[in-house]
Amino acid sequence: MFGYGELNVGKAVNGPAKFDWGDVTVSFAGNSTWSNPISGAGGLVKQGTGTLNLTQASTYTGATQVQSGTLTAKSLASVVSIAAGGTLSGTSKIGRNIINAGTRALSDRFDNLLDHRQPGGWTQNLGYHGDLSRSGYSNVGVDLTGWLVGQDYRMGGNGEAGYAISQSQGLGRLANSPDQGRSHALEGMLYGGVIHGSWYTMGRFGVGTYRENMRRQLQLGNQFAGVASDTNGRYGVAYGESGYRLSLGRTEVTPYINLQYAHLQRDGFDELGAYGFGLKSSAQTTALWQAGMGMRATQAAWALPRGGSLSLQTCMLWQQSFGVRGESFDASFSGIHQFAPVGGIGLA
């Protein structure tokens, strides 16, 4: 137990809440979870082969040193140093890439309609590779592949409207770890917009379902054990974008702004294996707004000697999330029934 003065047993069993007397050094094998938010001027020194889980946001100002073993933290305000034998990680999950893939495809479609007002059937491959990162957590590499098929119609002199369906597969991998999650998603959307000269505005409403298979490896003392879970989810998205095409010689540049609302519902899960040290959780609902600005650029095509052409495309986007609800969720070890909040990289 941890504490001082009058003992609050219910709080003391959840670990320390203050580092008031210098650095606190812990060394053990196995797993230990501290569920109190920790404040104070002291720091934390993690030794031993075990895994220490800090489930609450900590505001202590002393240094955090991971000399060996693993430290999993929801949020740290201090300077962090990690020795060769230490690991700093956090719970992670494949983010909103299944939603973003359809949005990027539709943005590209309206970019093409600026050049050629020829409504009709269209297809696009969905491909994405990137990383999710957050201070205090290990990075997650993300790969996404799939396809999208759409049909649009001209509405009056400047309007466009249509529908599309997409199917995608995602793979998320925790850096320097065998942990990975695979997802499969199916989405349907309705979209529309207005094109007037070099200016356009467009929006879409989409709904989709996904399933995810998660595989993780846990360190239990000097042993390793695997856990696995399957979960299903649903999501809805509303997106709006407006931009203006600029011609700069052989290069066409389209700056734009956007606004998006996403709502995700995940069913509960229960990780099997590892002698009950996997995690279980009930259903979770997450929602957020995002506003952003970006730019797409296309270099005019070069004719190839034996037919065909070659063009270069690039894009960049900055987004800011706000109004986030339900980012953290309560989880418990599978072998017991004692829940505590769990955080992670969150929604990108």
Side-chain angles (χ1 to χ4, degrees):
M1 289 189 180
F2 300 84
Y4 56 92
E6 183 177 352
L7 181 62
N8 183 333
V9 176
K11 192 172 184 179
V13 296
N14 290 325
K18 288 183 177 292
F19 291 165
D20 284 342
W21 302 285
D23 293 345
V24 174
T25 300
V26 293
S27 179
F28 60 91
N31 277 266
S32 179
T33 298
W34 293 356
S35 300
N36 290 319
I38 305 173
S39 60
L44 174 64
V45 181
K46 170 64 180 71
Q47 299 176 344
T49 60
T51 297
L52 175 61
N53 305 293
L54 306 182
T55 64
Q56 300 296 310
S58 296
T59 59
Y60 62 86
T61 56
T64 299
Q65 304 174 54
V66 187
Q67 297 180 354
S68 59
T70 299
L71 173 65
T72 299
K74 179 181 180 181
S75 176
L76 296 173
S78 65
V79 176
V80 180
S81 63
I82 306 172
T87 301
L88 179 66
S89 67
T91 58
S92 61
K93 184 180 183 294
I94 293 177
R96 285 189 314 110
N97 297 288
I98 54 179
I99 296 177
N100 287 340
T103 299
R104 285 192 294 268
L106 187 58
S107 295
D108 290 342
R109 173 58 177 170
F110 270 79
D111 218 25
N112 292 331
L113 289 173
L114 285 172
D115 296 324
H116 309 286
R117 290 293 302 277
Q118 296 178 346
W122 58 285
T123 64
Q124 183 160 326
N125 291 326
L126 305 179
Y128 173 82
H129 173 76
D131 294 285
L132 301 176
S133 63
R134 177 178 175 181
S135 177
Y137 295 86
S138 295
N139 289 358
V140 176
V142 177
D143 293 293
L144 186 139
T145 59
W147 51 261
L148 183 146
V149 178
Q151 174 73 42
D152 43 40
Y153 306 89
R154 191 160 184 168
M155 309 294 289
N158 299 316
E160 300 284 343
Y163 60 88
I165 60 172
S166 66
Q167 185 269 342
S168 61
Q169 305 85 40
L171 171 64
R173 304 173 308 280
L174 189 65
N176 303 316
S177 169
D179 297 3
Q180 66 176 28
R182 295 182 179 273
S183 65
H184 301 268
L186 180 66
E187 180 183 323
M189 75 170 80
L190 298 174
Y191 63 88
V194 175
I195 299 175
H196 186 75
S198 297
W199 170 84
Y200 75 95
T201 185
M202 67 89 166
R204 80 179 186 101
F205 295 96
V207 294
T209 63
Y210 70 91
R211 66 181 186 276
E212 185 176 10
N213 174 267
M214 183 68 70
R215 296 287 185 270
R216 300 194 303 129
Q217 186 179 77
L218 307 183
Q219 182 177 356
L220 307 175
N222 58 0
Q223 300 181 9
F224 291 89
V227 293
S229 66
D230 293 292
T231 186
N232 297 302
R234 298 152 298 285
Y235 63 89
V237 57
Y239 176 86
E241 177 182 310
S242 184
Y244 190 86
R245 168 70 61 79
L246 301 172
S247 295
L248 306 174
R250 293 176 57 86
T251 302
E252 294 181 332
V253 179
T254 307
Y256 64 93
I257 58 175
N258 61 28
L259 179 67
Q260 177 170 278
Y261 174 77
H263 184 272
L264 299 91
Q265 294 177 297
R266 172 188 55 77
D267 295 340
F269 66 88
D270 190 351
E271 290 183 320
L272 303 178
Y275 316 106
F277 283 99
L279 295 179
K280 63 181 179 181
S281 173
S282 57
Q284 177 193 13
T285 298
T286 304
L288 82 161
W289 289 88
Q290 283 188 310
M293 61 181 65
M295 183 178 65
R296 293 184 295 271
T298 303
Q299 181 73 32
W302 292 276
L304 300 178
R306 298 185 179 181
S309 61
L310 174 67
S311 62
L312 299 179
Q313 294 181 320
T314 187
C315 64
M316 58 186 298
L317 172 64
W318 172 88
Q319 283 186 311
Q320 176 66 49
S321 299
F322 60 97
V324 180
R325 296 185 291 107
E327 184 177 12
S328 298
F329 62 96
D330 289 342
S332 169
F333 289 122
S334 297
I336 60 176
H337 196 71
Q338 184 174 356
F339 288 82
V342 175
I345 287 179
L347 299 177

